[in-house]
Amino acid sequence: MTEHQFKILIVGDGKVGKSSFVHRYVNGQFNKNYKTTMGAEFTLKLLLWTDTERVRLQLWDIAGQERFVSMNRVYYKGASGCVVMFDVSNSASFQSCRHWKQDLDDKSLLPNGQPLPCILLANKCDLTERVVSVESLRRFSQDCGFTCWMETSVKDNRNVNEAMRRLVEEMLSVQSPVPPSDTDTDTGFHLDSVELDAGPVLDTRCCSG
Ligand code: GDP
Ligand code: MG
């Protein structure tokens, strides 16, 4: 059994649904009165990915500040992927996503210099009062270099598993296809392979919820 371990950051303005998302994904529940996150904390989720592969996810849910704040580098250290979330009924939370993504890209890159896999989640799509159009979302996601974007509703359990599956696929595809062994120290080979592997995936597999 091969085991992959990934640290995933969940960022976005306060009250967009980050803690609810993690709780839903890990425990399968939606609790209207989920406690406000105090400080960063992580939750573990183990996936039986294939017959021969296990994926262990560390989900880091950030402290509940209302607006964007530049994060400490320590928080980003060792991260393999990121979820940037906003609330479709709150345009300020949408505008913050540019800053969250930029902060991530400034402080965390793959070994080959490419940005980390990062998905944009338009949460609370069960609500009718929506302030962000699909077209502007599509353009925004592309401009900011997100791997893909999806509409989610943690409340209605819509696209929660699908979004995480998409992120895991992306993290698996950009990591070294040949696990380095004790005798293989030629890292140049691995970096080239990663680049070739990642290109078409990023271009063709963007999703639209
Ligand atoms: P966080 O500050 O980003 O961690 O947000 P929380 O997870 O604490 O959620 C903030 C509020 O939004 C809570 O009252 C949740 O019940 C609510 N919420 C979360 N996800 C959804 C959703 O998909 N739809 C709706 N309508 N409410 C949601
Ligand atoms: Mg929270």
Side-chain angles (χ1 to χ4, degrees), residues 167-186:
L167 182 61
V168 171
E169 280 172 1
E170 197 62 31
M171 292 188 302
L172 286 168
S173 83
V174 298
Q175 74 176 3
S176 174
V178 183
S181 67
D182 289 339
T183 52
D184 182 5
T185 52
D186 181 4

PDB file of all heavy atoms in Angstrom, residues 167-186:
ATOM      1  N   LEU A 167      -9.145  18.264  -5.940  1.00  0.00           N
ATOM      2  CA  LEU A 167      -7.891  18.798  -5.401  1.00  0.00           C
ATOM      3  C   LEU A 167      -6.872  17.672  -5.188  1.00  0.00           C
ATOM      4  O   LEU A 167      -5.698  17.826  -5.522  1.00  0.00           O
ATOM      5  CB  LEU A 167      -8.151  19.550  -4.085  1.00  0.00           C
ATOM      6  CG  LEU A 167      -6.931  20.199  -3.448  1.00  0.00           C
ATOM      7  CD1 LEU A 167      -6.300  21.247  -4.364  1.00  0.00           C
ATOM      8  CD2 LEU A 167      -7.293  20.845  -2.109  1.00  0.00           C
ATOM      9  N   VAL A 168      -7.343  16.547  -4.661  1.00  0.00           N
ATOM     10  CA  VAL A 168      -6.426  15.417  -4.435  1.00  0.00           C
ATOM     11  C   VAL A 168      -5.867  14.925  -5.770  1.00  0.00           C
ATOM     12  O   VAL A 168      -4.661  14.673  -5.901  1.00  0.00           O
ATOM     13  CB  VAL A 168      -7.135  14.266  -3.672  1.00  0.00           C
ATOM     14  CG1 VAL A 168      -6.260  13.016  -3.639  1.00  0.00           C
ATOM     15  CG2 VAL A 168      -7.467  14.707  -2.246  1.00  0.00           C
ATOM     16  N   GLU A 169      -6.710  14.829  -6.778  1.00  0.00           N
ATOM     17  CA  GLU A 169      -6.245  14.407  -8.113  1.00  0.00           C
ATOM     18  C   GLU A 169      -5.138  15.332  -8.598  1.00  0.00           C
ATOM     19  O   GLU A 169      -4.118  14.890  -9.118  1.00  0.00           O
ATOM     20  CB  GLU A 169      -7.392  14.483  -9.131  1.00  0.00           C
ATOM     21  CG  GLU A 169      -8.345  13.325  -9.089  1.00  0.00           C
ATOM     22  CD  GLU A 169      -9.576  13.553  -9.981  1.00  0.00           C
ATOM     23  OE1 GLU A 169      -9.670  14.608 -10.645  1.00  0.00           O
ATOM     24  OE2 GLU A 169     -10.437  12.671  -9.968  1.00  0.00           O
ATOM     25  N   GLU A 170      -5.359  16.612  -8.400  1.00  0.00           N
ATOM     26  CA  GLU A 170      -4.381  17.597  -8.858  1.00  0.00           C
ATOM     27  C   GLU A 170      -3.073  17.483  -8.070  1.00  0.00           C
ATOM     28  O   GLU A 170      -1.989  17.534  -8.647  1.00  0.00           O
ATOM     29  CB  GLU A 170      -4.989  18.996  -8.703  1.00  0.00           C
ATOM     30  CG  GLU A 170      -4.286  20.067  -9.473  1.00  0.00           C
ATOM     31  CD  GLU A 170      -4.323  19.839 -10.973  1.00  0.00           C
ATOM     32  OE1 GLU A 170      -5.289  19.256 -11.488  1.00  0.00           O
ATOM     33  OE2 GLU A 170      -3.349  20.256 -11.624  1.00  0.00           O
ATOM     34  N   MET A 171      -3.179  17.306  -6.767  1.00  0.00           N
ATOM     35  CA  MET A 171      -1.965  17.181  -5.946  1.00  0.00           C
ATOM     36  C   MET A 171      -1.193  15.926  -6.322  1.00  0.00           C
ATOM     37  O   MET A 171       0.037  15.940  -6.383  1.00  0.00           O
ATOM     38  CB  MET A 171      -2.335  17.163  -4.453  1.00  0.00           C
ATOM     39  CG  MET A 171      -2.873  18.499  -3.966  1.00  0.00           C
ATOM     40  SD  MET A 171      -3.098  18.560  -2.175  1.00  0.00           S
ATOM     41  CE  MET A 171      -4.220  17.202  -1.915  1.00  0.00           C
ATOM     42  N   LEU A 172      -1.918  14.847  -6.610  1.00  0.00           N
ATOM     43  CA  LEU A 172      -1.250  13.607  -7.021  1.00  0.00           C
ATOM     44  C   LEU A 172      -0.586  13.788  -8.378  1.00  0.00           C
ATOM     45  O   LEU A 172       0.512  13.293  -8.610  1.00  0.00           O
ATOM     46  CB  LEU A 172      -2.263  12.452  -7.097  1.00  0.00           C
ATOM     47  CG  LEU A 172      -2.734  11.895  -5.757  1.00  0.00           C
ATOM     48  CD1 LEU A 172      -3.932  10.963  -5.955  1.00  0.00           C
ATOM     49  CD2 LEU A 172      -1.609  11.158  -5.043  1.00  0.00           C
ATOM     50  N   SER A 173      -1.229  14.532  -9.270  1.00  0.00           N
ATOM     51  CA  SER A 173      -0.690  14.652 -10.623  1.00  0.00           C
ATOM     52  C   SER A 173       0.537  15.557 -10.694  1.00  0.00           C
ATOM     53  O   SER A 173       1.348  15.398 -11.595  1.00  0.00           O
ATOM     54  CB  SER A 173      -1.769  15.117 -11.601  1.00  0.00           C
ATOM     55  OG  SER A 173      -1.893  16.509 -11.558  1.00  0.00           O
ATOM     56  N   VAL A 174       0.670  16.494  -9.774  1.00  0.00           N
ATOM     57  CA  VAL A 174       1.842  17.377  -9.845  1.00  0.00           C
ATOM     58  C   VAL A 174       3.010  16.883  -9.001  1.00  0.00           C
ATOM     59  O   VAL A 174       4.089  17.437  -9.063  1.00  0.00           O
ATOM     60  CB  VAL A 174       1.527  18.842  -9.436  1.00  0.00           C
ATOM     61  CG1 VAL A 174       0.510  19.451 -10.382  1.00  0.00           C
ATOM     62  CG2 VAL A 174       1.079  18.952  -8.002  1.00  0.00           C
ATOM     63  N   GLN A 175       2.775  15.847  -8.194  1.00  0.00           N
ATOM     64  CA  GLN A 175       3.917  15.334  -7.436  1.00  0.00           C
ATOM     65  C   GLN A 175       4.736  14.409  -8.326  1.00  0.00           C
ATOM     66  O   GLN A 175       4.281  13.985  -9.380  1.00  0.00           O
ATOM     67  CB  GLN A 175       3.467  14.648  -6.153  1.00  0.00           C
ATOM     68  CG  GLN A 175       2.837  13.289  -6.349  1.00  0.00           C
ATOM     69  CD  GLN A 175       2.503  12.623  -5.021  1.00  0.00           C
ATOM     70  OE1 GLN A 175       2.692  13.184  -3.951  1.00  0.00           O
ATOM     71  NE2 GLN A 175       1.997  11.413  -5.095  1.00  0.00           N
ATOM     72  N   SER A 176       5.950  14.129  -7.915  1.00  0.00           N
ATOM     73  CA  SER A 176       6.856  13.335  -8.720  1.00  0.00           C
ATOM     74  C   SER A 176       6.212  12.011  -9.109  1.00  0.00           C
ATOM     75  O   SER A 176       5.743  11.269  -8.258  1.00  0.00           O
ATOM     76  CB  SER A 176       8.127  13.083  -7.918  1.00  0.00           C
ATOM     77  OG  SER A 176       8.945  12.214  -8.625  1.00  0.00           O
ATOM     78  N   PRO A 177       6.141  11.686 -10.431  1.00  0.00           N
ATOM     79  CA  PRO A 177       5.512  10.436 -10.837  1.00  0.00           C
ATOM     80  C   PRO A 177       6.315   9.215 -10.431  1.00  0.00           C
ATOM     81  O   PRO A 177       5.766   8.136 -10.278  1.00  0.00           O
ATOM     82  CB  PRO A 177       5.434  10.553 -12.357  1.00  0.00           C
ATOM     83  CG  PRO A 177       6.448  11.567 -12.733  1.00  0.00           C
ATOM     84  CD  PRO A 177       6.617  12.479 -11.562  1.00  0.00           C
ATOM     85  N   VAL A 178       7.636   9.358 -10.292  1.00  0.00           N
ATOM     86  CA  VAL A 178       8.473   8.243  -9.848  1.00  0.00           C
ATOM     87  C   VAL A 178       8.979   8.585  -8.446  1.00  0.00           C
ATOM     88  O   VAL A 178       9.762   9.516  -8.296  1.00  0.00           O
ATOM     89  CB  VAL A 178       9.683   8.044 -10.784  1.00  0.00           C
ATOM     90  CG1 VAL A 178      10.510   6.851 -10.353  1.00  0.00           C
ATOM     91  CG2 VAL A 178       9.209   7.897 -12.219  1.00  0.00           C
ATOM     92  N   PRO A 179       8.499   7.885  -7.414  1.00  0.00           N
ATOM     93  CA  PRO A 179       8.954   8.218  -6.066  1.00  0.00           C
ATOM     94  C   PRO A 179      10.463   8.070  -5.979  1.00  0.00           C
ATOM     95  O   PRO A 179      11.005   7.069  -6.444  1.00  0.00           O
ATOM     96  CB  PRO A 179       8.261   7.176  -5.176  1.00  0.00           C
ATOM     97  CG  PRO A 179       7.236   6.523  -6.022  1.00  0.00           C
ATOM     98  CD  PRO A 179       7.633   6.715  -7.449  1.00  0.00           C
ATOM     99  N   PRO A 180      11.170   9.093  -5.438  1.00  0.00           N
ATOM    100  CA  PRO A 180      12.616   9.006  -5.364  1.00  0.00           C
ATOM    101  C   PRO A 180      13.041   7.839  -4.484  1.00  0.00           C
ATOM    102  O   PRO A 180      12.458   7.631  -3.425  1.00  0.00           O
ATOM    103  CB  PRO A 180      13.029  10.336  -4.725  1.00  0.00           C
ATOM    104  CG  PRO A 180      11.779  11.087  -4.441  1.00  0.00           C
ATOM    105  CD  PRO A 180      10.607  10.280  -4.830  1.00  0.00           C
ATOM    106  N   SER A 181      14.000   7.063  -4.950  1.00  0.00           N
ATOM    107  CA  SER A 181      14.498   5.944  -4.141  1.00  0.00           C
ATOM    108  C   SER A 181      15.866   6.327  -3.609  1.00  0.00           C
ATOM    109  O   SER A 181      16.433   7.357  -3.965  1.00  0.00           O
ATOM    110  CB  SER A 181      14.601   4.692  -4.996  1.00  0.00           C
ATOM    111  OG  SER A 181      15.616   4.883  -5.953  1.00  0.00           O
ATOM    112  N   ASP A 182      16.444   5.491  -2.768  1.00  0.00           N
ATOM    113  CA  ASP A 182      17.739   5.785  -2.152  1.00  0.00           C
ATOM    114  C   ASP A 182      18.838   5.935  -3.199  1.00  0.00           C
ATOM    115  O   ASP A 182      19.752   6.724  -3.064  1.00  0.00           O
ATOM    116  CB  ASP A 182      18.131   4.655  -1.193  1.00  0.00           C
ATOM    117  CG  ASP A 182      17.241   4.705   0.041  1.00  0.00           C
ATOM    118  OD1 ASP A 182      16.658   5.787   0.306  1.00  0.00           O
ATOM    119  OD2 ASP A 182      17.112   3.682   0.712  1.00  0.00           O
ATOM    120  N   THR A 183      18.714   5.157  -4.291  1.00  0.00           N
ATOM    121  CA  THR A 183      19.776   5.160  -5.288  1.00  0.00           C
ATOM    122  C   THR A 183      19.561   6.237  -6.348  1.00  0.00           C
ATOM    123  O   THR A 183      20.449   6.537  -7.111  1.00  0.00           O
ATOM    124  CB  THR A 183      19.850   3.793  -5.997  1.00  0.00           C
ATOM    125  OG1 THR A 183      18.546   3.476  -6.453  1.00  0.00           O
ATOM    126  CG2 THR A 183      20.363   2.716  -5.051  1.00  0.00           C
ATOM    127  N   ASP A 184      18.384   6.815  -6.395  1.00  0.00           N
ATOM    128  CA  ASP A 184      18.070   7.768  -7.458  1.00  0.00           C
ATOM    129  C   ASP A 184      18.135   9.197  -6.931  1.00  0.00           C
ATOM    130  O   ASP A 184      17.225   9.678  -6.291  1.00  0.00           O
ATOM    131  CB  ASP A 184      16.662   7.462  -7.998  1.00  0.00           C
ATOM    132  CG  ASP A 184      16.290   8.388  -9.153  1.00  0.00           C
ATOM    133  OD1 ASP A 184      17.156   9.184  -9.566  1.00  0.00           O
ATOM    134  OD2 ASP A 184      15.153   8.301  -9.618  1.00  0.00           O
ATOM    135  N   THR A 185      19.219   9.871  -7.216  1.00  0.00           N
ATOM    136  CA  THR A 185      19.377  11.235  -6.715  1.00  0.00           C
ATOM    137  C   THR A 185      19.279  12.271  -7.832  1.00  0.00           C
ATOM    138  O   THR A 185      19.554  13.431  -7.645  1.00  0.00           O
ATOM    139  CB  THR A 185      20.733  11.416  -5.993  1.00  0.00           C
ATOM    140  OG1 THR A 185      21.745  10.959  -6.867  1.00  0.00           O
ATOM    141  CG2 THR A 185      20.766  10.649  -4.685  1.00  0.00           C
ATOM    142  N   ASP A 186      18.887  11.828  -9.009  1.00  0.00           N
ATOM    143  CA  ASP A 186      18.804  12.735 -10.156  1.00  0.00           C
ATOM    144  C   ASP A 186      17.471  13.490 -10.123  1.00  0.00           C
ATOM    145  O   ASP A 186      16.518  13.145 -10.784  1.00  0.00           O
ATOM    146  CB  ASP A 186      18.926  11.913 -11.451  1.00  0.00           C
ATOM    147  CG  ASP A 186      18.876  12.804 -12.686  1.00  0.00           C
ATOM    148  OD1 ASP A 186      18.827  14.038 -12.530  1.00  0.00           O
ATOM    149  OD2 ASP A 186      18.874  12.261 -13.790  1.00  0.00           O
TER     150      ASP A 186
END
